[in-house]
Amino acid sequence: MEFAELIKTPRVDGVVLRRPFMPTVEGTLCLTGHHLILSSRQDNTEELWLLHANIDSTEKRFVGSLGTIIVKCKDLRVIQLDIPGMEECLNIASSIEALSTLDSVSLMYPFFYRPLFEVIEDGWQSFVPEESFKDLESMTDEWRLSEVNKDFSVCPSYPSLLTVPRDIDDESLCKAASFRHGGRFPVLSYYHKKNGMVIMRAAQPLTGTNGRRCKEDEKLINATLCAGKRGYIIDTRTIAVAQQAKARGGGFEQEANYPQWRRIHKAIERSNVLQDSLIKLVEACNDQSHSMDRWLSKLEASNWQSNVKEILTTACLAAQCIDREGASVLVHGTEGTDSTLQVTSLAQIILDPACRTIRGFEVLIEREWLQAGHPFQQRCAQSAYSNGKLRSEAPVFLLFLDCVWQILRQFPCSFQFNENLLIMLFEHAYASQFGTFLGNCVAERGKLQLSQKTVSLWSWVNRPQELERFLNPLYEPNNLVIWPSVAPQSLLLWEGVFLRWNRSTKCLDEAYQEMVHIIEYNKELQNKVNSLRRQLAQLETEDSPLQTP
Amino acid sequence: MEHIRTPKVEQVKLLDRFSNKSVIGTLHLTATHLIFVESNSTSILHHHIASMEKLSLTTSGCPLLIQCRNFRLVHFVIPRERDCHDIYSSLLRLLRPVSYDELYAFSYNPKQNDQQREEGWQLIDLAAEFERMGVPCDQWQLTDVNREYKVCETYPRDLYVPITASKPIIVGSSKFRSKGRFPVLTYFYQEKKAAVCRCSQPLSGFSARCLEDEHMLQAISKANHNSRYIYVMDTRPKLNALANRAAGKGYENEDNYSNIRFQFVGIENIHVMRGSLQKLLEVVGTRSLSMTDYLVGLENSGWLRHIKAIMDAAIFLAKAVTVEGASVLVHCSDGWDRTAQVCALGSLLMDPYYRTIKGFMVLIEKDWISFGHKFADRCDQLDPDQKEVSPIFTQFLECVWQLTEQFPQAFEFSEWFLIQIHEHVHSCQFGNFLGNSQRQREVLQLKERTYSLWAHLLSEKQNYMNPVYSPSFAESHPVLEPSTQACHFKFWRNMYHQYDRSMHPRQSILKQVLTFKESNRELEGTVQALKTNKNKKNTPLLSRKEVQQEEDEEVFGEEAREDAPASTDGERTVEGSSATENGYGELTGSFGSKNEPAVVTLEFGVARMTC
């Protein structure tokens, strides 16, 4: 298919762009296969480059022959384009509509994007499972790397290499896989160096109504317990939801069959509920009414903050089991690709200082989200302005980022990165020039040949020029477990994402710059002092050669 | 002291408000403080105690719940009921002083001599403040009509009125205003010659009018050539104002006053505000609060709605003055609560001076203290009428905090300054806020017998500085134009949970950046010293010995400084928090659950700066 077929009017002059808190720009609107571009004719400073993939929905309005298109983006921004001429406006609107809803992945921008920078470190090669395993090997010999899934036949959503208990053979793994939803048998997610406890993740067991059991599955997870130790199973669903799942062949681990495990149920919402929550939250944030009661009641009704609290609480609970109770943990929900990953990845941020570095955080996202098979493409197909029929869209990853932001807010000196990194990841998960978040699992990404045909987000992020933007000037490494407060008073609305386009950030940005300046100046002064002292010491030795014969 | 029956009780348990933690220590009762001593001690000033409750006896002892005005809530368990009762009844007497002389301020002695004390009181000079605004001038003059507090006993002696307002007009107008609080100048916006005036409601009833009062408003209007009209802002909801008419009070009838634009603003009265705060505190004091209950409770308390109403009114005032160049007369019922809030906040929006540490003190001294905000009644200083207590001043501080959140570089001070002021408004440790009016303060001879808070705060100014404050911000933003969207108003956790450590970020950006800033200052000094030293080295004129000696000092002095930001390690790397304290989801009854020793201790003073 040619994009040109979809573009009836590639160019319109005299288009006016209106955005809240930014000056109005008049200029020429151009449509390309992947971008909507507006450049002003006066000077080329004011430009809008918008990926079609970033467009969530559009609305059009007409007053006489002046048409207006309201473009609502997946990054939550809303812009207005005033287009003279009814026909032009209709053409543009229908082109945007068509181009922003292309079904075929291979037509996405990442396949056409050529980087303007030299790729020094290829992000596709940056994180290989073998390397993480090497780290693990240096700490324990209880685990092995299994190739049982090398052709993705045991579990289509898992990567080809999986870390499993040393004593469990591949055959048992296959049997355990047949007992778990989507073949997602329990695998290692995190090893806590301090006490050797582990977090494992899986999908729900397929016990069904007649209480099916699977010896291999039991053996597999028991193999992760030390003698005489017990562990916790954290089921991210309420007991009621878990019970209902039995009717559909799912279920949960029966105490009788897993006597060494204590099961705890939490109440993280299913993904379709989360999508609704996001839509309501964004609607509340965009509400122009200035009534306090209305704002608070809408915020409450969206349930977003409740979701943040529940996810964070569950992650803290998992971390508490590991670090405080000295017990291993198995986490699962239904499919093991959403709430499960939120919990395991957040628990690692709490427990493991390495995850709070930029590199470590990238590794975490790569391992616990991308390779673990979070279906990014399905979940991020639409964002908060989606008005069509939803399929499997859900802000699961955004909620995870929000929770990370909450922890970052509470421990502002413990993270090497700042809020910008989190916002950037949110944007790129929904629309990007990079291939990283395309596809739903490792197998799909392989088929799409993403690593050959697209550029990795990490190749770009890890360039020193870009990295600078994401560095937290207050960072000071610490090796402690960081326990966030989950009291509702301690959890804030993530303004950087949800109020980003509804406020002027100039004052806040300048204050941040001033803070950066103070800290940089401090380093500068330290260096100056050190160099002066060296010079003095040198003068000293030159001055008194007799004292040091 | 005769009221203290049991000065000391041992083996008292102090329970944490939000977790299951507790510590055991000794409780001491002194004439001024209740002190709990364990590894670190907690002391509570009697004046801070708002209420006490003795709960029913439990197996571990007799629980005593103390709620403080600085939002601290302590829960003691005293082993023997008799001790508990003794403490309770002693406190009951101690925290209800019957005369001003019993207040802490009269016994507090910071070891200063009379001269220092006097200097403290001279720090704030309101005559100089009016001069700074450009008053007196050709349109405004100082009147001595209230020199003896004869016209209005709740006003200060020195008052500024339009040149054309003669004494008979003033006296006439004052007779037509509630409590004699006639219109006077509180802020003068020099750039447009526009004035902010304040007064109380007119005694208009359903139809009464007063020519002198009408003249008074006209005189205010005429003093400003930039605008043909003046705004009259009645800060009450219209319904309240209407109701007042039945009592012979009310509001200005536009037909009787020429060229006024009358406006209701709709800030609720002290009783509504008191109830609102009570509800808010009830909600946020709940253990294991759910997000839904929190947000619903926040909404139902109405607290943020009230804060926003005050802010909206102040913004209206600032716009009228700075954009339209119109003078504004502000009043409510008596003109000492809502009027003070709106005038003070409005002035702060218009004038960058009030956003500095010194300027903020002046602002409080002017619009709150001198114009007779009834601190004694509102803050419950003496044997109280509970119906008079209300968090009016707290709301003002919160509005300022909301502004600091929107304009982080506009204020010289940080929120710790606001919180510390709040602390001392209730502590009765300093004389500034004692009593209800200037006249009463003079009778009490506060300046001779007590100390000024402002001197104390200035002496520890470093603690209250905003490290990212930019004086040039005032030039680019002389008038602040805050957003009034509801989503920009936030719950002030650091105020209402100031003693609940587990609620707060475990690392404080503010503190960290302050440390850097302080370190920068020291390093700059070191660089200078080293440079001088180096130059000396290059000039062999100095005797060897002298240089050596100097250098030793330098190097020594510097060892300590070199790692200045790290030198506070003890405080800064102590971070993290405990899992048990947060209660994530209760492994209660779980196997192997034991009382974990805290692996990491909380940074003390994250929640509350210790100063």
Side-chain angles (χ1 to χ4, degrees):
Chain A
M1 188 190 64
E2 283 292 322
F3 293 117
E5 290 167 19
L6 298 173
I7 304 171
K8 292 178 204 145
T9 305
R11 205 188 121 130
V12 189
D13 288 328
V15 173
V16 179
L17 165 69
R18 296 175 204 280
R19 291 169 289 188
F21 299 102
M22 281 195 243
T24 301
V25 189
E26 193 185 332
T28 304
L29 179 76
C30 297
L31 283 188
T32 72
H34 292 106
H35 284 96
L36 182 154
I37 302 160
L38 188 123
S39 63
S40 79
R41 280 161 305 178
Q42 286 88 6
D43 47 60
N44 283 327
T45 48
E46 275 291 346
E47 281 197 332
L48 173 76
W49 279 75
L50 191 66
L51 260 181
H52 293 315
N54 191 358
I55 296 174
D56 211 17
S57 70
T58 54
E59 284 166 26
K60 22 182 205 296
R61 278 205 301 260
F62 291 96
V63 179
S65 68
L66 179 78
T68 295
I69 304 178
I70 313 254
V71 179
K72 298 183 173 180
C73 303
K74 289 177 189 161
D75 60 14
L76 309 184
R77 137 175 65 155
V78 177
I79 59 174
Q80 180 181 334
L81 296 165
D82 293 345
I83 300 171
M86 173 137 15
E87 196 193 332
E88 283 84 352
C89 183
L90 281 171
N91 284 348
I92 296 282
S94 69
S95 301
I96 295 179
E97 175 90 36
L99 289 165
S100 61
T101 50
L102 291 178
D103 259 343
S104 166
V105 183
S106 56
L107 290 176
M108 299 293 241
Y109 186 52
F111 290 96
F112 299 82
Y113 169 75
R114 291 293 156 263
L116 292 172
F117 58 89
E118 194 194 342
V119 175
I120 301 165
E121 185 200 333
D122 185 0
W124 292 115
Q125 311 304 329
S126 292
F127 313 100
V128 281
E130 286 91 336
E131 234 157 80
S132 320
F133 187 73
K134 260 184 221 149
D135 289 344
L136 181 66
E137 251 182 334
S138 68
M139 298 183 275
T140 170
D141 59 355
E142 296 287 309
W143 299 84
R144 69 183 182 93
L145 215 47
S146 164
E147 290 186 2
V148 69
N149 198 37
K150 68 172 181 290
D151 53 1
F152 307 109
S153 58
V154 177
C155 172
S157 63
Y158 268 166
S160 51
L161 288 174
L162 292 158
T163 310
V164 295
R166 186 193 53 201
D167 300 333
I168 304 295
D169 57 25
D170 282 359
E171 198 179 326
S172 305
L173 292 177
C174 290
K175 284 195 178 134
S178 65
F179 182 64
R180 294 274 171 180
H181 191 119
R184 295 176 69 93
F185 58 88
V187 294
L188 181 78
S189 164
Y190 171 68
Y191 179 86
H192 197 46
K193 201 155 76 175
K194 194 169 115 191
N195 58 11
M197 295 302 128
V198 297
I199 300 180
M200 285 183 305
R201 51 179 159 75
Q204 65 177 348
L206 302 173
T207 57
T209 39
N210 51 7
R212 228 178 105 210
R213 64 186 287 188
C214 170
K215 290 269 184 226
E216 286 78 8
D217 186 73
E218 291 158 24
K219 208 176 120 203
L220 168 56
I221 71 166
N222 285 340
T224 65
L225 295 175
C226 311
K229 277 269 186 182
R230 298 216 263 180
Y232 288 91
I233 294 173
I234 296 179
D235 190 328
T236 62
R237 308 162 294 179
T238 58
I239 178 77
V241 174
Q243 287 282 9
Q244 283 162 19
K246 282 186 180 173
R248 273 166 280 130
F252 52 86
E253 295 81 358
Q254 297 293 338
E255 286 86 350
N257 303 339
Y258 298 85
Q260 285 163 285
W261 296 82
R262 191 185 129 97
R263 209 177 61 244
I264 302 172
H265 287 275
K266 298 299 284 183
I268 301 182
E269 292 285 3
R270 293 276 296 155
S271 50
N272 55 334
V273 179
L274 298 180
Q275 181 70 9
D276 190 46
S277 172
L278 174 67
I279 293 172
K280 282 189 184 150
L281 173 71
V282 171
E283 206 231 299
C285 293
N286 287 342
D287 190 338
Q288 293 304 309
S289 125
H290 286 216
S291 150
M292 183 58 72
D293 290 0
R294 190 168 154 151
W295 157 245
L296 287 173
S297 78
K298 281 186 149 194
L299 178 64
E300 189 277 312
S302 81
N303 251 336
W304 183 266
Q305 294 297 95
S306 298
N307 288 320
V308 169
K309 180 170 154 62
E310 190 61 29
I311 294 165
L312 207 48
T313 307
T314 310
C316 289
L317 182 70
Q320 197 181 353
C321 292
I322 297 282
D323 190 67
R324 291 308 169 89
E325 300 290 318
S328 287
V329 177
L330 169 67
V331 184
H332 70 74
T334 304
E335 283 125 343
T337 53
D338 296 299
S339 58
T340 305
L341 305 183
Q342 288 172 331
V343 173
T344 56
S345 54
L346 285 168
Q348 292 177 53
I349 286 173
I350 293 165
L351 292 168
D352 185 2
C355 294
R356 300 172 218 143
T357 64
I358 290 191
R359 194 72 181 192
F361 191 63
E362 289 172 1
V363 172
L364 184 75
I365 301 235
E366 186 70 34
R367 182 164 41 80
E368 289 297 299
W369 288 88
L370 290 161
Q371 301 192 9
H374 174 66
F376 274 100
Q377 193 160 324
Q378 287 175 9
R379 296 285 181 259
C380 300
Q382 296 260 262
S383 160
Y385 300 117
S386 50
N387 42 19
K389 197 171 166 291
L390 291 170
R391 285 162 296 188
S392 348
E393 289 80 359
V396 176
F397 187 61
L398 176 56
L399 270 164
F400 158 73
L401 294 175
D402 194 331
C403 292
V404 177
W405 179 78
Q406 304 287 352
I407 307 177
L408 171 63
R409 280 283 309 209
Q410 296 191 24
F411 296 89
C413 307
S414 298
F415 288 80
Q416 191 188 15
F417 52 87
N418 60 19
E419 180 183 5
N420 293 338
L421 184 78
L422 302 174
I423 297 174
M424 184 275 293
L425 287 171
F426 157 60
E427 289 172 340
H428 283 273
Y430 278 86
S432 175
Q433 64 268 46
F434 303 107
T436 300
F437 291 109
L438 291 182
N440 290 309
C441 56
V442 175
E444 263 188 54
R445 282 185 207 107
K447 267 189 220 132
L448 290 166
Q449 295 179 286
L450 292 180
S451 60
Q452 292 94 325
K453 292 186 173 169
T454 72
V455 181
S456 162
L457 173 67
W458 312 127
S459 305
W460 173 71
V461 172
N462 288 334
R463 299 170 72 229
Q465 301 93 308
E466 298 300 331
L467 220 44
E468 190 121 334
R469 213 153 48 89
F470 304 122
L471 286 174
N472 174 11
L474 292 167
Y475 177 56
E476 263 176 51
N478 77 68
N479 284 318
L480 300 168
V481 175
I482 52 177
W483 299 108
S485 160
V486 293
Q489 296 96 314
S490 307
L491 302 176
L492 306 174
L493 177 71
W494 190 6
E495 296 182 18
V497 164
F498 299 110
L499 300 181
R500 184 177 179 192
W501 311 102
N502 308 347
R503 58 173 185 174
S504 161
T505 54
K506 195 165 162 281
C507 292
L508 304 179
D509 293 344
E510 284 170 3
Y512 182 81
Q513 281 314 319
E514 177 62 22
M515 181 188 84
V516 173
H517 170 77
I518 290 170
I519 297 169
E520 275 172 2
Y521 183 50
N522 190 268
K523 283 187 198 128
E524 204 179 294
L525 283 171
Q526 299 268 8
N527 290 341
K528 211 180 235 170
V529 166
N530 290 344
S531 106
L532 277 170
R533 291 177 71 205
R534 262 197 306 278
Q535 286 173 28
L536 263 177
Q538 207 165 0
L539 281 175
E540 187 71 16
T541 40
E542 282 167 13
D543 260 12
S544 46
L546 293 177
Q547 286 175 0
T548 46
Chain B
M1 213 169 138
E2 75 265 37
H3 307 303
I4 300 173
R5 288 194 231 166
T6 309
K8 181 175 161 189
V9 185
E10 282 175 14
Q11 289 293 306
V12 173
K13 201 191 258 181
L14 173 63
L15 301 176
D16 186 89
R17 189 177 172 194
F18 291 103
S19 71
N20 298 322
K21 276 188 167 173
S22 64
V23 283
I24 294 199
T26 308
L27 195 62
H28 299 264
L29 189 60
T30 75
T32 53
H33 289 81
L34 181 66
I35 304 166
F36 179 76
V37 184
E38 30 114 21
S39 55
N40 43 22
S41 73
T42 309
S43 67
I44 296 167
L45 200 58
H46 297 330
H47 296 311
H48 271 142
I49 298 176
S51 65
M52 288 185 304
E53 205 184 336
K54 225 167 45 144
L55 305 179
S56 49
L57 195 69
T58 66
T59 46
S60 55
C62 192
L64 181 65
L65 210 62
I66 298 177
Q67 168 81 56
C68 300
R69 295 192 176 93
N70 51 14
F71 309 115
R72 173 184 233 155
L73 192 129
V74 282
H75 189 164
F76 291 120
V77 179
I78 298 167
R80 293 198 314 161
E81 194 180 12
R82 238 197 70 196
D83 290 334
C84 183
H85 183 76
D86 282 352
I87 296 273
Y88 179 79
S89 46
S90 306
L91 276 175
L92 215 49
R93 173 63 192 87
L94 287 166
L95 60 89
R96 294 272 173 268
V98 283
S99 78
Y100 280 101
D101 295 345
E102 288 180 42
L103 294 180
Y104 185 36
F106 294 99
S107 57
Y108 170 68
N109 183 0
K111 310 235 165 19
Q112 285 179 2
N113 59 34
D114 287 353
Q115 197 200 337
Q116 284 168 308
R117 167 158 64 194
E118 226 165 273
E119 280 169 8
W121 283 110
Q122 283 160 358
L123 272 172
I124 308 293
D125 176 359
L126 289 184
E129 168 56 13
F130 279 95
E131 218 167 280
R132 186 192 68 87
M133 297 177 205
V135 177
C137 61
D138 58 345
Q139 296 295 338
W140 293 89
Q141 63 176 350
L142 178 66
T143 172
D144 59 3
V145 72
N146 204 37
R147 269 286 140 85
E148 309 297 325
Y149 297 112
K150 288 224 171 89
V151 179
C152 173
E153 61 171 10
T154 58
Y155 266 171
R157 289 174 190 274
D158 291 344
L159 293 165
Y160 297 82
V161 292
I163 293 262
T164 52
S166 63
K167 267 188 196 165
I169 288 183
I170 295 174
V171 174
S173 168
S174 83
K175 292 200 168 124
F176 188 63
R177 294 275 168 183
S178 209
K179 309 278 194 307
R181 294 171 68 94
F182 60 96
V184 294
L185 181 81
T186 178
Y187 180 70
F188 188 63
Y189 188 66
Q190 228 170 341
E191 203 182 311
K192 301 235 162 128
K193 306 277 178 227
V196 178
C197 299
R198 53 185 290 174
C199 60
S200 60
Q201 64 184 340
L203 305 175
S204 52
F206 290 99
S207 59
R209 55 189 286 189
C210 165
L211 285 178
E212 289 93 339
D213 193 60
E214 289 159 26
H215 274 140
M216 187 73 193
L217 264 66
Q218 202 151 25
I220 293 172
S221 180
K222 282 202 178 130
N224 177 0
H225 301 304
N226 280 319
S227 175
R228 285 183 302 104
Y229 51 86
I230 64 166
Y231 281 100
V232 176
M233 278 174 80
D234 189 327
T235 55
R236 300 167 293 182
K238 188 171 182 184
L239 213 62
N240 300 23
L242 282 171
N244 264 298
R245 290 206 300 192
K249 298 165 187 172
Y251 56 93
E252 291 81 357
N253 182 340
E254 273 181 286
D255 298 338
N256 298 339
Y257 294 84
S258 48
N259 299 324
I260 67 163
R261 293 195 175 179
F262 187 83
Q263 179 86 33
F264 285 112
V265 183
I267 302 174
E268 299 288 351
N269 65 23
I270 57 167
H271 311 295
V272 174
M273 300 308 191
R274 179 180 56 242
S276 173
L277 180 63
Q278 233 153 37
K279 279 190 208 155
L280 178 80
L281 294 179
E282 251 166 57
V283 171
V284 300
T286 315
R287 279 178 69 157
S288 317
L289 180 64
S290 78
M291 187 57 85
T292 298
D293 289 346
Y294 167 63
L295 291 173
V296 169
L298 201 57
E299 182 192 341
N300 289 343
S301 77
W303 184 255
L304 285 176
R305 176 161 40 98
H306 300 314
I307 295 293
K308 182 167 143 54
I310 297 162
M311 193 80 98
D312 284 339
I315 293 168
F316 179 89
L317 169 68
K319 276 216 176 109
V321 172
T322 59
V323 179
E324 292 182 55
S327 294
V328 183
L329 175 65
V330 184
H331 72 72
C332 46
S333 297
D334 290 321
W336 49 44
D337 293 312
R338 294 170 263 207
T339 302
Q341 288 177 329
V342 174
C343 288
L345 198 61
S347 312
L348 184 102
L349 290 175
M350 290 186 264
D351 195 333
Y353 174 63
Y354 296 132
R355 299 171 220 148
T356 63
I357 287 184
K358 180 79 184 293
F360 193 65
M361 294 172 175
V362 168
L363 184 66
I364 291 175
E365 196 71 42
K366 173 168 71 74
D367 270 311
W368 292 89
I369 297 174
S370 88
F371 275 115
H373 174 68
K374 301 201 292 175
F375 279 104
D377 290 355
R378 297 291 177 259
C379 305
D380 201 7
Q381 287 169 358
L382 277 196
D383 196 30
D385 175 358
Q386 288 302 327
K387 286 214 173 66
E388 283 286 310
V389 179
S390 189
I392 302 302
F393 186 70
T394 308
Q395 288 183 316
F396 165 67
L397 293 177
E398 173 164 343
C399 287
V400 176
W401 175 77
Q402 301 280 0
L403 287 173
T404 63
E405 285 287 290
Q406 285 196 34
F407 304 101
Q409 293 192 277
F411 293 83
E412 191 188 4
F413 48 85
S414 69
E415 66 179 318
W416 297 116
F417 186 56
L418 302 173
I419 291 171
Q420 196 64 11
I421 292 174
H422 181 265
E423 175 89 3
H424 286 299
V425 165
H426 294 93
S427 73
C428 300
Q429 184 175 350
F430 298 93
N432 308 58
F433 299 103
L434 300 192
N436 283 321
S437 66
Q438 283 303 62
R439 184 197 165 128
Q440 198 181 3
R441 286 181 197 106
E442 281 169 22
V443 173
L444 289 170
Q445 296 176 291
L446 291 178
K447 292 195 177 176
E448 290 80 49
R449 300 171 62 201
T450 70
Y451 295 85
S452 167
L453 170 66
W454 308 131
H456 170 72
L457 291 181
L458 279 179
S459 73
E460 40 187 48
K461 192 174 162 191
Q462 284 319 319
N463 296 335
Y464 308 121
M465 298 293 279
N466 168 13
V468 295
Y469 169 62
S470 152
S472 64
F473 187 90
E475 285 155 33
S476 51
H477 301 76
V479 180
L480 296 184
E481 293 171 54
S483 157
T484 57
Q485 272 190 54
C487 52
H488 292 130
F489 290 81
K490 291 177 257 181
F491 171 67
W492 192 6
R493 188 185 53 211
N494 283 354
M495 173 61 98
Y496 305 106
H497 284 299
Q498 50 181 304
Y499 288 94
D500 304 318
R501 290 189 302 172
S502 64
M503 292 268 172
H504 298 280
R506 309 314 158 97
Q507 294 166 320
S508 153
I509 297 181
L510 172 61
K511 210 171 162 193
Q512 190 81 339
V513 179
L514 267 179
T515 313
F516 273 114
K517 192 116 190 194
E518 181 61 33
S519 150
N520 285 355
R521 217 182 343 266
E522 285 173 8
L523 284 169
E524 272 170 353
T526 314
V527 168
Q528 269 318 311
L530 283 170
K531 276 188 179 155
T532 328
N533 212 337
K534 202 176 112 188
N535 288 342
K536 275 188 205 152
K537 276 270 158 56
N538 289 337
T539 20
L541 287 172
L542 279 168
S543 81
R544 182 85 246 154
K545 200 178 163 193
E546 221 174 338
V547 173
Q548 187 60 50
Q549 193 184 358
E550 262 205 56
E551 206 205 325
D552 281 349
E553 269 169 24
E554 192 50 60
V555 169
F556 183 75
E558 211 195 293
E559 285 306 331
R561 272 182 240 139
E562 219 237 307
D563 45 5
S567 68
T568 45
D569 255 358
E571 278 173 302
R572 279 186 312 142
T573 52
V574 194
E575 63 201 27
S577 46
S578 74
T580 40
E581 197 166 274
N582 286 306
Y584 298 123
E586 306 334 323
L587 299 169
T588 35
S590 63
F591 43 84
S593 175
K594 51 189 181 290
N595 218 347
E596 279 284 329
V599 173
V600 280
T601 47
L602 273 165
E603 175 182 3
F604 185 71
V606 168
R608 267 197 68 60
M609 183 172 269
T610 43
C611 33

